[in-house]
Amino acid sequence: MADDLFKDFNVVSSKQWKQQIQFELKGADYNETLLWHSPEDIKVKPFYHNDESQNTYGAQTKATQFSICQDIFVYDIEKSIAKANDCINRGAESIRFTLQDGTTDIARLLENFPFEKASVYIQPSFLSIDFLKKIDAIAKAKNALIYVFADPIGQLAQDGNWFQTPEKDNFETFNVLTKETSNLAFVSIKAGLYQNAGANMVQQIAYTLAHANEYLNRLPKINQAILLEVAIGTNYFFEIAKLRALRLLFDLIAKEYHFTHGCHIFATPTKRNKTIYDYNVNMLRTTTECMAAILGGADTIANQPYDALYHKNNEFGDRISRNQLLVLKNESYLDKVDNPADGSYYIESLTQQLAEKALTLFKDIEAKDGFLKQLGNGTIKRKIDESAAKEQELFDSGKEVLLGTNKYPNKNDKMKHDLELYPFVKTKPRKTLISPIIERRLAEKIEQERLDTES
């Protein structure tokens, strides 16, 4: 081991640092001047010191193994196959195929997929035993594991209704699938919904855990890892700590069920802070969000194209989003060490505080009949809406900044004629079992006002 280069310097304690800071403040109050309170009511100090550090983080993160994923919406089988092969040849290490309905020829789609080079994620908008068994048969034949985003509770939370299935309920469908499939990891948690709807980080972690706990409690057997789809926001160090705390607490709860397969974290940048005006700034936002995902221990990361809000899928946007991750991996060397955030007193402190607060909220949810009960009676939605309203107020007042939108906007920037996609919340009046949780971007109101005044 290298020599201690600091042995000739006197040790300075945290108490001495604080005394010096208070002297420099010339009478100003230390707590009011230098302590920052996050939306999660976490006090962020101006400095962190090893004599106050409590390294209690237990789960391990493997940044060396993170996978770069490319999203492909399947509308034409042959074009999707060609695009998947092209993306893999240009650096993608996994592909997520989004399927619109059960008519997709899944056998043809995966027939010649290079499983030895890349892994496969399937995101269907439906739940079907027969269809998932077809995917499982392909996975067995290829000696591969395929991840499927099948989350009935997430469907209920986002859509207001369960998946329509011939079985009595979606849990019965899952129980059949656990008995009749072996090469699918299909139990998943749509955790990104909570972030994109405006939940704070403690809520995101606690709701994800309570969401997962419903499956662990209701399914006697789960054959593979539980897939956690998580959205990464703009608060860089907090987001690193969020993923670390999430994995730590998931392992803690899984242990109670003797569930040994763990969780697989699939991370994507948040939609909440993305904008249609000054859209190139989205690249800066997604880059720091992807960095946080890597350092926080995400297993797979699918970046978001800078123009995804208003442009249809296009080769340039996909290439840039993929190359951002390739630069982080191959030029920034973020994949060279495991547990890269270990030893950061600040991140360790955030991890511990987020974990403690989230565990307290999780216990409160379970004491009040569980996640599904609170989802059904509207408690979860109400709490998220309250948190989202506070963040929206900060944005509207300019205290939370999105450059190019509510700070230093380019008044000459015109977007009305460039919108290929509708970038705002869509309303679809229909009958639902519960009031759905709505994803909403911070900039929507101000962008609509600007569009209305464009010449």
Side-chain angles (χ1 to χ4, degrees), residues 198-214:
N200 65 44
M201 289 191 199
V202 169
Q203 290 173 328
Q204 292 170 46
I205 298 169
Y207 294 164
T208 302
L209 295 173
H211 190 150
N213 190 58
E214 292 288 347

Side-chain angles (χ1 to χ4, degrees), residues 430-446:
R430 55 201 164 79
K431 187 177 180 180
T432 59
L433 294 174
I434 68 169
S435 181
I437 297 171
I438 305 298
E439 297 180 335
R440 190 185 302 275
R441 293 183 300 110
L442 288 169
E444 289 200 15
K445 181 181 176 182
I446 195 171

Side-chain angles (χ1 to χ4, degrees), residues 62-69 90-94 117 119 287 290-291 294-295 298-301 321-337:
K62 297 186 180 298
T64 57
Q65 298 178 22
F66 89 88
S67 171
I68 298 171
C69 186
R90 297 166 75 180
E93 297 161 328
S94 55
K117 293 182 180 179
S119 52
T287 298
C290 287
M291 285 176 65
I294 296 168
L295 298 178
D299 297 289
T300 301
I301 303 169
S321 66
R322 184 174 61 250
N323 284 352
Q324 288 173 258
L325 285 166
L326 287 168
V327 168
L328 292 176
K329 174 169 277 196
N330 297 308
E331 295 187 26
S332 302
Y333 307 113
L334 294 187
D335 67 332
K336 297 305 179 187
V337 295

Side-chain angles (χ1 to χ4, degrees), residues 49-249:
H49 195 282
N50 66 351
D51 66 15
E52 295 179 332
S53 176
Q54 296 180 1
N55 187 353
T56 58
Y57 182 64
Q60 299 296 298
T61 61
K62 297 186 180 298
T64 57
Q65 298 178 22
F66 89 88
S67 171
I68 298 171
C69 186
Q70 185 74 57
D71 277 315
I72 296 178
F73 183 85
V74 179
Y75 61 92
D76 180 289
I77 291 288
E78 299 305 322
K79 288 181 179 179
S80 297
I81 292 170
K83 182 175 180 179
N85 289 328
D86 180 62
C87 290
I88 292 169
N89 290 333
R90 297 166 75 180
E93 297 161 328
S94 55
I95 302 293
R96 175 165 64 170
F97 293 110
T98 298
L99 311 181
Q100 194 167 15
D101 56 51
T103 63
T104 302
D105 188 350
I106 193 69
R108 175 67 189 118
L109 181 66
L110 300 179
E111 181 180 11
N112 296 311
F113 187 89
F115 284 94
E116 71 282 358
K117 293 182 180 179
S119 52
V120 171
Y121 297 82
I122 304 291
Q123 178 141 14
S125 58
F126 55 92
L127 182 61
S128 164
I129 290 177
D130 291 341
F131 195 86
L132 265 64
K133 285 173 67 175
K134 289 180 184 178
I135 300 174
D136 183 61
I138 295 168
K140 286 179 183 176
K142 300 290 186 179
N143 193 28
L145 174 65
I146 295 179
Y147 295 92
V148 178
F149 293 89
D151 179 13
I153 297 175
Q155 167 73 8
L156 175 67
Q158 185 173 36
D159 183 75
N161 291 311
W162 298 96
F163 286 117
Q164 292 185 357
T165 59
E167 295 74 40
K168 180 181 68 175
D169 58 41
N170 290 174
F171 294 111
E172 182 182 344
T173 305
F174 263 28
N175 274 310
V176 172
L177 286 167
T178 56
K179 295 173 184 176
E180 300 186 9
T181 64
S182 59
N183 289 50
L184 292 187
F186 62 86
V187 179
S188 66
I189 311 297
K190 197 177 292 186
L193 170 65
Y194 310 128
Q195 201 283 341
N196 283 312
N200 65 44
M201 289 191 199
V202 169
Q203 290 173 328
Q204 292 170 46
I205 298 169
Y207 294 164
T208 302
L209 295 173
H211 190 150
N213 190 58
E214 292 288 347
Y215 290 127
L216 289 167
N217 191 39
R218 292 168 183 268
L219 301 177
K221 181 182 179 184
I222 301 176
N223 301 321
Q224 302 290 351
I226 293 180
L227 183 59
L228 307 182
E229 184 183 13
V230 181
I232 306 299
T234 191
N235 195 343
Y236 182 67
F237 292 108
F238 271 68
E239 291 292 344
I240 296 172
K242 179 180 83 176
L243 290 189
R244 288 158 56 89
L246 177 59
R247 192 182 290 275
L248 171 67
L249 293 180

